[in-house]
Amino acid sequence: MANTPPSKATPGRSDSQTRGGPPRTPPSWFIRALDSLLSEELRGSPPSDLARCRVLAGSSCILLLFALVGLVAFPSPALRVVMALIFLGYGTVLVLLRRATSHIPPSLVLCSASIVGGGALLFFMRDMPYFGTHAGLMLQPALAVYLLGPRRGIFVALIWACEGLLYPLYYTRLGPGVNASSPDELLWPLYLCAAFSFLASWGLGSLADSARAEAQSTLEHTLKELRDSEGQLISLIESTEDLVFSLDSEGRLLTFNSAAQRAYAARFGQKLVTGQPLFSDTSPELRAAWEAQLAGPMAGQRRRFEDGYELGGTPYTFDISLNPVHGTEGRITGVTVFARNISARKDAEFRMGEMYRTLVDVSRQAGMAEIATGVLHNVGNTLNSVNVSTTLVLDQLRQSRLPGLARLSELLQERSRELTSFLTQDPQGQVLPAYLSALSEQLQKEHTVLLKEMRSLSDSVDHIKAVVSMQQKYARVAGAVEEVQVPQLIDEALRLHAISFERLGIRIERNYAPVPPLLIDRHRLLQILVNLLSNARDALLSSGVEGKRLVIDIHLSADGQQLVLQLTDNGMGIAAENLPRMFTQGFTTKKTGHGFGLHISALAAMEMQGRLSCTSPGPGKGATFTLEFPVSGATPLEPPPRPTLPLNESPR
């Protein structure tokens, strides 16, 4: 940028780049010679004023040489005196140029010397009456306008115009033309044309100066806007902690920000240097890798990738973006490189993944514990029936009449030789038929009771075996997708809660429409169902309403693309302000809850391309939880916002 002090140079930019535009070419010997005639202040002038100073110095040297030639060549003493005065005036201009702080005073001296010297020569050169119409004199007004401006330069044009009108009058009235035999008819017309030309030269010079000033103003305004834009751009790239590079078409550095300089110095122990290739002093492998990465942007393709580096012994990961820079006519003129440090994000993602996996394991264990609790509860209740049946069998066996049959057998063995007389004549033998009839009837009753209890005991054992078998079935590792009959799976989930629902007096209504099977993870779906059933049970228990009811409805959506499962209870309900937060991790209205049950259920449903939602008319009016899954070949549902950090705990 013009006149920008070096202290404000942008990092990574040379002085010529900081001052705007391409680097300046070294001045020629002629320009250096002209600058040597100027003072230090004039050499530091703006470009337009410096150009005027150089023109002033060059004009003074040429006119000084002209005066020196005239001083030697003119034979007339009067003309030599005039040329000496002119020589002195032009020499004074050169002296002033070495000391002046502005070009105006030397320019006034130059114009004054030209007017005085030219006028003196005009009046002293009697044999050359047309000297005042010489084309060289036409340059005087134009030069004055260029050096002094239109307002100051007009006096030069006016003086020369006046001299052009006065000289013919002098020549014909007082000069050599007074005694001429025939008047010069061209003298007046030529000098009138010369006077007009002096004024026209000033006018054209003024127009040119005005156009140049306007162009200069436009250029300065444009440069100011460019400087402002450049300053804003520099502030922008310096305000970010991202690494920013700019390369030309050859891969050489054009600019970079302070963050890039610091990172490069920390990584390679060197400073970035403008004009050198990126990674020029690094390993050949790194240079070759970056040359391959830059090949795409150099061909007009954007590239984005992640790469890892070690800075100061600490590993870092950068998100790097390479973008081509398009010049005129769509030609690729370079590449911009943006590198953002995403190490913290990567660490957070890694920790989040580890936490997620841990919580999923905890959730699965909690779900299995929930199922195991239900299994043990059902087994415990069934064992009560087993215990009752066993006690009844034992009591019946203790009170059995079977020992009387053994004594009867012993008695008959003792009287086997006189069995006929014993049965007909002995009073004890005569009662044996009645005794046998009563004993047979009693043993038959005992057999019936024992058979009934043994059947009950067998049924209880079979129920225990079924519950244990079901627990073993769902204790395997989840993740396998299989064909699942949803109504059957709901009934199995209900059996795990059957005792608790019956004991609490909760009536379950089933409305199962014909639905196709789902290809789904049976374990995860069972976990969701167990969670929803537990949630409904707790809501009904907390409500204290009479006629507790849970309605389970299964049907297809109107378009037949989704299987819809709804669990509607008439429990405590949900407040309107809590509905949007029901599936948020950690939200719960229970005193002992953790707020993870519905959260993990929604997460599991979403991972199986389903959706879990809830509605409620309000507190005390119950709630409906809706679980939707696409049937085979249907488009997956648009899931709600993804919950995070799952655990297995109901929020209600």
Side-chain angles (χ1 to χ4, degrees):
M1 300 180 198
N3 300 327
T4 302
S7 60
K8 295 184 180 181
T10 305
R13 297 169 67 102
S14 64
D15 183 65
S16 62
Q17 291 173 309
T18 305
R19 294 176 182 269
R24 297 175 181 174
T25 57
S28 63
W29 65 269
F30 181 68
I31 298 298
R32 291 197 299 270
L34 292 178
D35 288 346
S36 66
L37 300 176
L38 306 178
S39 64
E40 187 68 28
E41 290 82 359
L42 293 180
R43 285 197 294 269
S45 301
S48 58
D49 291 340
L50 179 60
R52 287 188 176 91
C53 293
R54 288 171 176 172
V55 171
L56 179 58
S59 302
S60 300
C61 291
I62 294 174
L63 293 174
L64 188 66
L65 181 61
F66 171 76
L68 181 60
V69 172
L71 183 62
V72 176
F74 288 146
S76 171
L79 290 176
R80 288 186 176 181
V81 172
V82 172
M83 298 307 294
L85 293 175
I86 294 174
F87 183 85
L88 181 61
Y90 294 149
T92 303
V93 173
L94 293 177
V95 173
L96 290 176
L97 284 174
R98 291 290 299 170
R99 300 180 179 179
T101 57
S102 172
H103 70 283
I104 298 298
S107 299
L108 289 173
V109 173
L110 177 67
C111 293
S112 300
S114 299
I115 293 172
V116 173
L121 289 176
L122 180 62
F123 283 93
F124 280 104
M125 297 178 68
R126 297 175 177 269
D127 296 335
M128 300 180 63
Y130 296 104
F131 175 75
T133 63
H134 194 279
L137 299 178
M138 301 300 130
L139 297 175
Q140 296 294 334
L143 183 63
V145 170
Y146 179 73
L147 295 177
L148 299 173
R151 294 184 179 180
R152 295 191 184 97
I154 193 173
F155 84 91
V156 177
L158 291 175
I159 292 175
W160 277 109
C162 290
E163 288 184 357
L165 296 176
L166 291 176
Y167 182 75
L169 184 61
Y170 160 77
Y171 186 80
T172 56
R173 303 291 183 178
L174 301 175
V178 175
N179 300 321
S181 58
S182 60
D184 193 341
E185 297 178 354
L186 296 177
L187 186 65
W188 276 100
L190 289 176
Y191 270 92
L192 288 174
C193 290
F196 176 77
S197 298
F198 289 139
L199 295 176
S201 177
W202 171 85
L204 293 175
S206 299
L207 290 176
D209 186 77
S210 176
R212 184 173 60 253
E214 183 177 356
Q216 181 69 22
S217 176
T218 303
L219 178 60
E220 290 178 355
H221 179 71
T222 303
L223 288 176
K224 182 179 181 302
E225 291 183 346
L226 289 176
R227 294 186 195 113
D228 293 341
S229 299
E230 185 180 18
Q232 293 173 1
L233 180 60
I234 291 173
S235 299
L236 179 62
I237 66 174
E238 285 295 328
S239 64
T240 180
E241 290 300 319
D242 296 347
L243 314 186
V244 181
F245 302 88
S246 178
L247 311 176
D248 62 12
S249 58
E250 300 296 329
R252 295 186 296 264
L253 277 170
L254 292 178
T255 185
F256 46 85
N257 63 349
S258 301
Q261 182 72 276
R262 292 193 300 269
Y264 193 86
R267 173 64 177 83
F268 301 106
Q270 303 172 6
K271 288 187 176 182
L272 290 169
V273 179
T274 305
Q276 290 188 357
L278 187 62
F279 303 116
S280 58
D281 298 328
T282 59
S283 63
E285 294 81 6
L286 182 59
R287 289 200 304 272
W290 267 92
E291 288 174 358
Q293 295 288 0
L294 291 173
M298 289 298 183
Q301 303 171 357
R302 296 176 181 270
R303 297 210 61 182
R304 186 170 182 177
F305 60 95
E306 294 181 3
D307 204 352
Y309 297 94
E310 185 173 317
L311 301 178
T314 304
Y316 288 89
T317 303
F318 287 93
D319 181 9
I320 302 173
S321 176
L322 307 179
N323 303 282
V325 178
H326 296 274
T328 58
E329 300 178 355
R331 186 170 54 89
I332 305 299
T333 59
V335 177
T336 57
V337 182
F338 296 89
R340 172 167 295 181
N341 184 5
I342 58 172
S343 304
R345 190 185 76 189
K346 285 293 184 181
D347 292 342
E349 289 176 354
F350 177 78
R351 291 194 297 270
M352 185 71 73
E354 290 293 324
M355 185 180 297
Y356 173 77
R357 285 188 289 272
T358 301
L359 291 176
V360 166
D361 293 339
V362 172
S363 172
R364 182 172 289 113
Q365 293 173 6
M368 294 176 64
E370 177 76 14
I371 296 175
T373 301
V375 169
L376 293 176
H377 185 79
N378 289 329
V379 170
N381 283 280
T382 308
L383 286 176
N384 289 333
S385 300
V386 171
N387 186 45
V388 170
S389 298
T390 304
T391 302
L392 290 174
V393 169
L394 290 175
D395 291 342
Q396 189 67 38
L397 289 176
R398 291 192 191 99
Q399 300 172 7
S400 176
R401 301 291 182 175
L402 192 61
L405 182 61
R407 288 195 298 274
L408 177 60
S409 177
E410 292 176 357
L411 179 61
L412 292 175
Q413 288 290 337
E414 292 174 357
R415 300 295 182 92
S416 59
R417 294 182 179 180
E418 48 183 14
L419 184 60
T420 303
S421 60
F422 176 73
L423 292 175
T424 58
Q425 299 177 7
D426 192 314
Q428 187 178 10
Q430 292 177 352
V431 300
L432 281 180
Y435 176 77
L436 285 174
S437 177
L439 180 62
S440 174
E441 183 179 355
Q442 184 66 32
L443 289 178
Q444 185 66 33
K445 291 180 179 179
E446 290 180 4
H447 176 269
T448 302
V449 171
L450 289 176
L451 183 60
K452 178 181 177 182
E453 294 301 325
M454 290 306 295
R455 286 175 178 172
S456 176
L457 181 62
S458 176
D459 291 340
S460 298
V461 172
D462 289 340
H463 182 66
I464 292 174
K465 289 171 61 179
V467 171
V468 172
S469 175
M470 186 166 53
Q471 166 64 13
Q472 292 174 343
K473 181 179 181 181
Y474 294 113
R476 68 184 190 276
V477 177
V481 176
E482 58 184 293
E483 190 176 85
V484 176
Q485 297 289 344
V486 177
Q488 178 182 350
L489 189 66
I490 293 177
D491 290 340
E492 293 178 3
L494 284 171
R495 279 199 293 272
L496 297 176
H497 291 275
I499 302 299
S500 61
F501 277 109
E502 293 174 0
R503 187 178 68 250
L504 295 173
I506 299 173
R507 182 164 57 90
I508 298 177
E509 299 180 7
R510 297 174 175 86
N511 299 324
Y512 296 168
V515 292
L518 291 180
L519 287 175
I520 206 166
D521 185 344
R522 179 187 292 265
H523 174 82
R524 283 194 172 186
L525 183 54
L526 180 66
Q527 182 181 354
I528 296 173
L529 295 175
V530 169
N531 221 339
L532 293 178
L533 289 172
S534 298
N535 187 68
R537 178 194 61 197
D538 295 342
L540 289 167
L541 183 62
S542 302
S543 66
V545 299
E546 296 182 1
K548 299 178 179 64
R549 186 177 72 256
L550 174 63
V551 179
I552 303 175
D553 183 86
I554 305 175
H555 62 274
L556 292 177
S557 60
D559 58 3
Q561 297 293 305
Q562 313 297 331
L563 187 147
V564 182
L565 190 156
Q566 291 181 317
L567 285 81
T568 304
D569 62 72
N570 60 344
M572 59 186 299
I574 305 170
E577 61 272 14
N578 291 335
L579 278 174
R581 306 167 58 193
M582 289 304 297
F583 302 104
T584 303
Q585 177 259 330
F587 175 75
T588 181
T589 57
K590 291 181 179 179
K591 294 182 179 180
T592 59
H594 300 288
F596 295 120
L598 291 180
H599 174 76
I600 184 57
S601 297
L603 182 64
M606 183 173 60
E607 290 178 347
M608 292 187 292
Q609 299 183 343
R611 179 170 58 196
L612 178 61
S613 59
C614 69
T615 57
S616 174
K621 298 180 180 180
T624 298
F625 284 83
T626 303
L627 190 60
E628 300 174 79
F629 289 103
V631 298
S632 300
T635 303
L637 293 165
E638 182 69 23
R642 180 183 179 93
T644 55
L645 300 182
L647 276 178
N648 192 359
E649 180 62 39
S650 172
R652 285 206 295 165

